[in-house]
Amino acid sequence: MTFGTGALFIVLSALILEQKNFYRAGKQFEALGNASYTLYLSHLIIIQLFYLFGLRGFFSSEGVVLPLVGLFVMIALSVIFSLLYYQKIEKPVYQKAIRYKRAL
């Protein structure tokens, strides 16, 4: 409920800003939208690998800055992996499936 509500308001805000011509989504956000399902499926694996390799302990501290850096590193790794996976694996497989279907 917490994350879903936040995500709802982020998307709603982007849609309102785009409708009012204050903001126009670019190719980067389109690519992220295309890879969003891959991101959804892979982010927990990335987080587990982050913990497995001991990065959680490295980024844990009494302060606020280092844990925030760790959070941004996890987010960046998840997004980068998802974009690469989508471009190199998911998109080509999808295109081949479309060509195969048309050939039938």
Side-chain angles (χ1 to χ4, degrees), residues 86-104:
Y86 176 78
Q87 286 295 323
K88 301 295 181 187
I89 297 172
E90 191 176 339
K91 187 176 178 180
V93 168
Y94 178 71
Q95 289 172 343
K96 285 181 183 180
I98 295 293
R99 281 187 296 231
Y100 177 76
K101 184 179 178 184
R102 287 182 185 159
L104 292 178

PDB file of all heavy atoms in Angstrom, residues 86-104:
ATOM      1  N   TYR A  86      16.421  -6.010 -21.182  1.00  0.00           N
ATOM      2  CA  TYR A  86      15.348  -5.743 -22.142  1.00  0.00           C
ATOM      3  C   TYR A  86      15.906  -5.572 -23.549  1.00  0.00           C
ATOM      4  O   TYR A  86      15.392  -6.156 -24.497  1.00  0.00           O
ATOM      5  CB  TYR A  86      14.554  -4.502 -21.734  1.00  0.00           C
ATOM      6  CG  TYR A  86      13.496  -4.149 -22.752  1.00  0.00           C
ATOM      7  CD1 TYR A  86      12.301  -4.855 -22.803  1.00  0.00           C
ATOM      8  CD2 TYR A  86      13.702  -3.145 -23.689  1.00  0.00           C
ATOM      9  CE1 TYR A  86      11.333  -4.561 -23.750  1.00  0.00           C
ATOM     10  CE2 TYR A  86      12.744  -2.842 -24.638  1.00  0.00           C
ATOM     11  CZ  TYR A  86      11.571  -3.551 -24.672  1.00  0.00           C
ATOM     12  OH  TYR A  86      10.628  -3.267 -25.625  1.00  0.00           O
ATOM     13  N   GLN A  87      16.961  -4.771 -23.689  1.00  0.00           N
ATOM     14  CA  GLN A  87      17.519  -4.489 -25.010  1.00  0.00           C
ATOM     15  C   GLN A  87      18.167  -5.714 -25.645  1.00  0.00           C
ATOM     16  O   GLN A  87      18.039  -5.934 -26.843  1.00  0.00           O
ATOM     17  CB  GLN A  87      18.557  -3.360 -24.917  1.00  0.00           C
ATOM     18  CG  GLN A  87      17.951  -2.002 -24.728  1.00  0.00           C
ATOM     19  CD  GLN A  87      17.122  -1.567 -25.928  1.00  0.00           C
ATOM     20  OE1 GLN A  87      17.449  -1.824 -27.076  1.00  0.00           O
ATOM     21  NE2 GLN A  87      16.013  -0.904 -25.642  1.00  0.00           N
ATOM     22  N   LYS A  88      18.872  -6.507 -24.850  1.00  0.00           N
ATOM     23  CA  LYS A  88      19.652  -7.615 -25.401  1.00  0.00           C
ATOM     24  C   LYS A  88      18.885  -8.930 -25.485  1.00  0.00           C
ATOM     25  O   LYS A  88      19.223  -9.781 -26.315  1.00  0.00           O
ATOM     26  CB  LYS A  88      20.927  -7.832 -24.564  1.00  0.00           C
ATOM     27  CG  LYS A  88      21.831  -6.625 -24.512  1.00  0.00           C
ATOM     28  CD  LYS A  88      22.376  -6.301 -25.873  1.00  0.00           C
ATOM     29  CE  LYS A  88      23.308  -5.114 -25.806  1.00  0.00           C
ATOM     30  NZ  LYS A  88      23.738  -4.662 -27.103  1.00  0.00           N
ATOM     31  N   ILE A  89      17.882  -9.132 -24.645  1.00  0.00           N
ATOM     32  CA  ILE A  89      17.203 -10.427 -24.614  1.00  0.00           C
ATOM     33  C   ILE A  89      15.706 -10.297 -24.895  1.00  0.00           C
ATOM     34  O   ILE A  89      15.181 -10.893 -25.830  1.00  0.00           O
ATOM     35  CB  ILE A  89      17.441 -11.139 -23.268  1.00  0.00           C
ATOM     36  CG1 ILE A  89      18.940 -11.436 -23.123  1.00  0.00           C
ATOM     37  CG2 ILE A  89      16.614 -12.411 -23.160  1.00  0.00           C
ATOM     38  CD1 ILE A  89      19.362 -11.964 -21.791  1.00  0.00           C
ATOM     39  N   GLU A  90      15.008  -9.520 -24.075  1.00  0.00           N
ATOM     40  CA  GLU A  90      13.550  -9.483 -24.170  1.00  0.00           C
ATOM     41  C   GLU A  90      13.049  -8.906 -25.491  1.00  0.00           C
ATOM     42  O   GLU A  90      12.166  -9.482 -26.133  1.00  0.00           O
ATOM     43  CB  GLU A  90      12.998  -8.667 -22.995  1.00  0.00           C
ATOM     44  CG  GLU A  90      11.516  -8.760 -22.833  1.00  0.00           C
ATOM     45  CD  GLU A  90      11.024  -8.017 -21.606  1.00  0.00           C
ATOM     46  OE1 GLU A  90      11.809  -7.764 -20.681  1.00  0.00           O
ATOM     47  OE2 GLU A  90       9.829  -7.684 -21.595  1.00  0.00           O
ATOM     48  N   LYS A  91      13.589  -7.779 -25.917  1.00  0.00           N
ATOM     49  CA  LYS A  91      13.143  -7.142 -27.152  1.00  0.00           C
ATOM     50  C   LYS A  91      13.406  -8.014 -28.389  1.00  0.00           C
ATOM     51  O   LYS A  91      12.509  -8.190 -29.216  1.00  0.00           O
ATOM     52  CB  LYS A  91      13.800  -5.771 -27.293  1.00  0.00           C
ATOM     53  CG  LYS A  91      13.288  -4.959 -28.451  1.00  0.00           C
ATOM     54  CD  LYS A  91      13.936  -3.582 -28.451  1.00  0.00           C
ATOM     55  CE  LYS A  91      13.488  -2.736 -29.613  1.00  0.00           C
ATOM     56  NZ  LYS A  91      14.130  -1.417 -29.588  1.00  0.00           N
ATOM     57  N   PRO A  92      14.619  -8.583 -28.552  1.00  0.00           N
ATOM     58  CA  PRO A  92      14.838  -9.459 -29.716  1.00  0.00           C
ATOM     59  C   PRO A  92      13.930 -10.695 -29.727  1.00  0.00           C
ATOM     60  O   PRO A  92      13.446 -11.095 -30.785  1.00  0.00           O
ATOM     61  CB  PRO A  92      16.313  -9.864 -29.594  1.00  0.00           C
ATOM     62  CG  PRO A  92      16.942  -8.785 -28.807  1.00  0.00           C
ATOM     63  CD  PRO A  92      15.890  -8.315 -27.856  1.00  0.00           C
ATOM     64  N   VAL A  93      13.678 -11.285 -28.569  1.00  0.00           N
ATOM     65  CA  VAL A  93      12.792 -12.442 -28.511  1.00  0.00           C
ATOM     66  C   VAL A  93      11.378 -12.035 -28.905  1.00  0.00           C
ATOM     67  O   VAL A  93      10.690 -12.743 -29.659  1.00  0.00           O
ATOM     68  CB  VAL A  93      12.825 -13.089 -27.104  1.00  0.00           C
ATOM     69  CG1 VAL A  93      11.701 -14.097 -26.927  1.00  0.00           C
ATOM     70  CG2 VAL A  93      14.166 -13.740 -26.855  1.00  0.00           C
ATOM     71  N   TYR A  94      10.933 -10.890 -28.421  1.00  0.00           N
ATOM     72  CA  TYR A  94       9.603 -10.391 -28.760  1.00  0.00           C
ATOM     73  C   TYR A  94       9.489 -10.132 -30.266  1.00  0.00           C
ATOM     74  O   TYR A  94       8.492 -10.496 -30.889  1.00  0.00           O
ATOM     75  CB  TYR A  94       9.311  -9.121 -27.968  1.00  0.00           C
ATOM     76  CG  TYR A  94       7.984  -8.499 -28.284  1.00  0.00           C
ATOM     77  CD1 TYR A  94       6.791  -9.092 -27.889  1.00  0.00           C
ATOM     78  CD2 TYR A  94       7.909  -7.306 -29.005  1.00  0.00           C
ATOM     79  CE1 TYR A  94       5.571  -8.530 -28.191  1.00  0.00           C
ATOM     80  CE2 TYR A  94       6.694  -6.735 -29.314  1.00  0.00           C
ATOM     81  CZ  TYR A  94       5.523  -7.347 -28.905  1.00  0.00           C
ATOM     82  OH  TYR A  94       4.309  -6.776 -29.209  1.00  0.00           O
ATOM     83  N   GLN A  95      10.496  -9.516 -30.853  1.00  0.00           N
ATOM     84  CA  GLN A  95      10.466  -9.232 -32.283  1.00  0.00           C
ATOM     85  C   GLN A  95      10.456 -10.523 -33.103  1.00  0.00           C
ATOM     86  O   GLN A  95       9.763 -10.607 -34.123  1.00  0.00           O
ATOM     87  CB  GLN A  95      11.651  -8.352 -32.666  1.00  0.00           C
ATOM     88  CG  GLN A  95      11.502  -6.945 -32.147  1.00  0.00           C
ATOM     89  CD  GLN A  95      12.759  -6.102 -32.339  1.00  0.00           C
ATOM     90  OE1 GLN A  95      13.843  -6.627 -32.569  1.00  0.00           O
ATOM     91  NE2 GLN A  95      12.601  -4.794 -32.234  1.00  0.00           N
ATOM     92  N   LYS A  96      11.210 -11.528 -32.674  1.00  0.00           N
ATOM     93  CA  LYS A  96      11.200 -12.814 -33.373  1.00  0.00           C
ATOM     94  C   LYS A  96       9.841 -13.485 -33.262  1.00  0.00           C
ATOM     95  O   LYS A  96       9.365 -14.104 -34.215  1.00  0.00           O
ATOM     96  CB  LYS A  96      12.291 -13.731 -32.828  1.00  0.00           C
ATOM     97  CG  LYS A  96      13.661 -13.339 -33.292  1.00  0.00           C
ATOM     98  CD  LYS A  96      14.717 -14.267 -32.757  1.00  0.00           C
ATOM     99  CE  LYS A  96      16.092 -13.777 -33.192  1.00  0.00           C
ATOM    100  NZ  LYS A  96      17.154 -14.633 -32.692  1.00  0.00           N
ATOM    101  N   ALA A  97       9.197 -13.368 -32.116  1.00  0.00           N
ATOM    102  CA  ALA A  97       7.868 -13.944 -31.945  1.00  0.00           C
ATOM    103  C   ALA A  97       6.858 -13.265 -32.854  1.00  0.00           C
ATOM    104  O   ALA A  97       5.999 -13.933 -33.442  1.00  0.00           O
ATOM    105  CB  ALA A  97       7.436 -13.824 -30.481  1.00  0.00           C
ATOM    106  N   ILE A  98       6.942 -11.963 -33.014  1.00  0.00           N
ATOM    107  CA  ILE A  98       6.051 -11.229 -33.911  1.00  0.00           C
ATOM    108  C   ILE A  98       6.272 -11.674 -35.348  1.00  0.00           C
ATOM    109  O   ILE A  98       5.311 -11.941 -36.086  1.00  0.00           O
ATOM    110  CB  ILE A  98       6.264  -9.701 -33.777  1.00  0.00           C
ATOM    111  CG1 ILE A  98       5.856  -9.219 -32.395  1.00  0.00           C
ATOM    112  CG2 ILE A  98       5.511  -8.944 -34.865  1.00  0.00           C
ATOM    113  CD1 ILE A  98       4.392  -9.317 -32.104  1.00  0.00           C
ATOM    114  N   ARG A  99       7.528 -11.793 -35.770  1.00  0.00           N
ATOM    115  CA  ARG A  99       7.832 -12.246 -37.140  1.00  0.00           C
ATOM    116  C   ARG A  99       7.347 -13.670 -37.367  1.00  0.00           C
ATOM    117  O   ARG A  99       6.813 -13.998 -38.423  1.00  0.00           O
ATOM    118  CB  ARG A  99       9.325 -12.139 -37.424  1.00  0.00           C
ATOM    119  CG  ARG A  99       9.770 -10.739 -37.761  1.00  0.00           C
ATOM    120  CD  ARG A  99      11.198 -10.757 -38.176  1.00  0.00           C
ATOM    121  NE  ARG A  99      11.985 -11.178 -37.028  1.00  0.00           N
ATOM    122  CZ  ARG A  99      13.038 -10.548 -36.559  1.00  0.00           C
ATOM    123  NH1 ARG A  99      13.500  -9.509 -37.173  1.00  0.00           N
ATOM    124  NH2 ARG A  99      13.675 -10.976 -35.496  1.00  0.00           N
ATOM    125  N   TYR A 100       7.509 -14.515 -36.359  1.00  0.00           N
ATOM    126  CA  TYR A 100       7.055 -15.896 -36.472  1.00  0.00           C
ATOM    127  C   TYR A 100       5.547 -15.951 -36.622  1.00  0.00           C
ATOM    128  O   TYR A 100       5.017 -16.703 -37.441  1.00  0.00           O
ATOM    129  CB  TYR A 100       7.512 -16.702 -35.246  1.00  0.00           C
ATOM    130  CG  TYR A 100       7.025 -18.127 -35.239  1.00  0.00           C
ATOM    131  CD1 TYR A 100       7.601 -19.084 -36.061  1.00  0.00           C
ATOM    132  CD2 TYR A 100       5.976 -18.509 -34.401  1.00  0.00           C
ATOM    133  CE1 TYR A 100       7.155 -20.385 -36.066  1.00  0.00           C
ATOM    134  CE2 TYR A 100       5.514 -19.805 -34.402  1.00  0.00           C
ATOM    135  CZ  TYR A 100       6.103 -20.738 -35.228  1.00  0.00           C
ATOM    136  OH  TYR A 100       5.647 -22.029 -35.229  1.00  0.00           O
ATOM    137  N   LYS A 101       4.849 -15.157 -35.830  1.00  0.00           N
ATOM    138  CA  LYS A 101       3.380 -15.134 -35.900  1.00  0.00           C
ATOM    139  C   LYS A 101       2.896 -14.649 -37.271  1.00  0.00           C
ATOM    140  O   LYS A 101       1.948 -15.174 -37.818  1.00  0.00           O
ATOM    141  CB  LYS A 101       2.817 -14.253 -34.790  1.00  0.00           C
ATOM    142  CG  LYS A 101       1.311 -14.252 -34.744  1.00  0.00           C
ATOM    143  CD  LYS A 101       0.791 -13.380 -33.624  1.00  0.00           C
ATOM    144  CE  LYS A 101      -0.709 -13.353 -33.644  1.00  0.00           C
ATOM    145  NZ  LYS A 101      -1.266 -12.447 -32.652  1.00  0.00           N
ATOM    146  N   ARG A 102       3.564 -13.633 -37.796  1.00  0.00           N
ATOM    147  CA  ARG A 102       3.180 -13.114 -39.118  1.00  0.00           C
ATOM    148  C   ARG A 102       3.442 -14.118 -40.225  1.00  0.00           C
ATOM    149  O   ARG A 102       2.751 -14.158 -41.232  1.00  0.00           O
ATOM    150  CB  ARG A 102       3.936 -11.809 -39.407  1.00  0.00           C
ATOM    151  CG  ARG A 102       3.420 -10.661 -38.607  1.00  0.00           C
ATOM    152  CD  ARG A 102       4.147  -9.393 -38.948  1.00  0.00           C
ATOM    153  NE  ARG A 102       3.713  -8.308 -38.070  1.00  0.00           N
ATOM    154  CZ  ARG A 102       4.400  -7.221 -37.838  1.00  0.00           C
ATOM    155  NH1 ARG A 102       5.570  -7.038 -38.424  1.00  0.00           N
ATOM    156  NH2 ARG A 102       3.915  -6.302 -37.042  1.00  0.00           N
ATOM    157  N   ALA A 103       4.487 -14.945 -40.047  1.00  0.00           N
ATOM    158  CA  ALA A 103       4.839 -15.946 -41.054  1.00  0.00           C
ATOM    159  C   ALA A 103       3.819 -17.087 -41.093  1.00  0.00           C
ATOM    160  O   ALA A 103       3.707 -17.776 -42.104  1.00  0.00           O
ATOM    161  CB  ALA A 103       6.229 -16.491 -40.787  1.00  0.00           C
ATOM    162  N   LEU A 104       3.110 -17.275 -40.016  1.00  0.00           N
ATOM    163  CA  LEU A 104       2.103 -18.347 -39.998  1.00  0.00           C
ATOM    164  C   LEU A 104       0.954 -17.912 -40.818  1.00  0.00           C
ATOM    165  O   LEU A 104       0.190 -18.345 -41.446  1.00  0.00           O
ATOM    166  CB  LEU A 104       1.625 -18.630 -38.560  1.00  0.00           C
ATOM    167  CG  LEU A 104       2.677 -19.248 -37.640  1.00  0.00           C
ATOM    168  CD1 LEU A 104       2.070 -19.430 -36.246  1.00  0.00           C
ATOM    169  CD2 LEU A 104       3.121 -20.598 -38.152  1.00  0.00           C
TER     170      LEU A 104
END
